[in-house]
Amino acid sequence: NGTVDDTSRAYMDIGLLDVYGFECFEVNSFEQLCINFANEKLQQFFLSTVFENEANTYKEEGIPWMPVPYADNKPIIDLCEDGTTGIYKLLDSQCRAPNTSGKTFCTSLHEAHSKSPDFGAPKLSKKEQRTKDDHFLISHFAGEVIYFAGDGKEPGFLEKNNDSLAKEVDEHLLKSSKPIVPNICRPETPAELTGGKKGGAKKGQSSFSSVGDKFVKSLKSLMTELGAGQAHFIRCIKSNPDLQPKKLHGASV
């Protein structure tokens, strides 16, 4: 944005946010957790905005009303982004520690959130063979999702969360003659790596760049921007469950 922005041409604008679709597949991994977590944050914003606006309208017009209780999904949001035991924080810890795997990450989650009503493991049955050794379950506002956190043929949570490059690649990119390249590839400072705390990576220790941490920070920035504006919502109705054009399924609509 800093490269292409021209403040002299700035003007008032309307931002349109196309909300992610909730995802629940046969196998759910790091990408689905990020998408569904974003949905949790946007759902919370939607509920608070709608109910607060409704309450303000009643007050302004002097109409007696009873506050409407609604399900708050804050516990699920805390489950993901808590600064100590949140899923993203535990994932980063596993990525930094030696001799870790998808299973050790999964174990750390079950140990940290065993008492959470929104976290658990698949219930074993004849049809359900997935275990807590390499799976965990989150009760999202839109439904339960079972995530595979084990070690398979495809890259898992730990590999997908690691955005670090080889030292030689980093050095080469930082020497680029295009200003935007070294700006994007600038290494995080010790303060950024530790959230403003003193210390940081020890000498000789390889740095670690977290995809999850960047995603959470980016999402917080988005929510701040949404909160600063005047939000209106457009509800989209799925015309039929078959994803077919020119077909209206009356009952579901």
Side-chain angles (χ1 to χ4, degrees):
N1 286 345
T3 303
V4 300
D5 193 24
D6 181 0
T7 54
S8 65
R9 298 173 61 193
Y11 55 91
M12 299 296 289
D13 67 283
I14 296 175
L16 180 64
L17 173 65
D18 185 10
V19 179
Y20 290 107
F22 185 78
E23 290 193 353
C24 182
F25 301 123
E26 202 168 312
V27 178
N28 301 285
S29 187
F30 180 74
E31 300 90 337
Q32 281 67 53
L33 177 65
C34 289
I35 289 170
N36 293 340
F37 174 59
N39 270 300
E40 292 286 357
K41 297 281 281 189
L42 292 168
Q43 173 73 0
Q44 185 187 51
F45 175 74
F46 168 75
L47 288 173
S48 62
T49 303
V50 167
F51 282 99
E52 283 177 15
N53 287 349
E54 197 74 8
N56 290 333
T57 301
Y58 273 76
K59 288 178 181 177
E60 287 170 5
E61 298 185 5
I63 301 172
W65 72 294
M66 290 292 291
V68 180
Y70 60 91
D72 186 5
N73 61 342
K74 187 177 183 300
I76 303 172
I77 291 173
D78 291 341
L79 174 71
C80 295
E81 70 174 7
D82 181 82
T84 306
T85 60
I87 293 174
Y88 286 106
K89 185 61 67 175
L90 292 176
L91 178 59
D92 284 352
S93 297
Q94 288 284 307
C95 286
R96 288 190 175 95
N99 304 318
T100 53
S101 65
K103 286 192 174 184
T104 62
F105 165 58
C106 200
T107 299
S108 70
L109 291 181
H110 285 289
E111 288 176 352
H113 302 291
S114 60
K115 296 181 180 179
S116 171
D118 301 305
F119 183 91
K123 293 181 180 178
L124 291 173
S125 65
K126 289 183 179 179
K127 292 184 178 179
E128 182 57 81
Q129 298 298 313
R130 291 172 290 186
T131 69
K132 66 183 294 184
D133 291 339
D134 47 15
H135 291 84
F136 64 93
L137 180 151
I138 297 179
S139 298
H140 289 285
F141 78 90
E144 293 183 347
V145 179
I146 296 172
Y147 297 93
F148 174 62
D151 306 295
K153 294 180 181 179
E154 299 296 324
F157 269 75
L158 272 67
E159 292 87 353
K160 291 175 180 178
N161 187 49
N162 190 345
D163 199 31
S164 306
L165 293 172
K167 184 180 178 183
E168 295 78 12
V169 178
D170 263 335
E171 290 176 349
H172 188 69
L173 290 170
L174 289 170
K175 293 176 182 176
S176 173
S177 59
K178 304 291 184 183
I180 192 171
V181 177
N183 185 48
I184 290 173
C185 301
R186 179 185 62 83
E188 291 178 303
T189 64
E192 290 171 331
L193 289 168
T194 58
K197 298 175 183 177
K198 293 182 178 180
K202 295 178 181 178
K203 191 174 181 180
Q205 190 179 53
S206 61
S207 62
F208 166 69
S209 182
S210 164
V211 174
D213 185 57
K214 290 176 183 176
F215 184 79
V216 171
K217 287 177 180 176
S218 177
L219 197 52
K220 284 182 178 178
S221 176
L222 171 65
M223 302 316 297
T224 300
E225 190 170 346
L226 288 176
Q230 186 177 3
H232 300 274
F233 301 93
I234 302 169
R235 176 161 294 182
C236 302
I237 300 173
K238 188 181 287 186
S239 57
N240 66 78
D242 306 314
L243 303 178
Q244 294 296 319
K246 300 180 181 179
K247 181 179 178 183
L248 191 71
H249 185 248
S252 60
V253 171

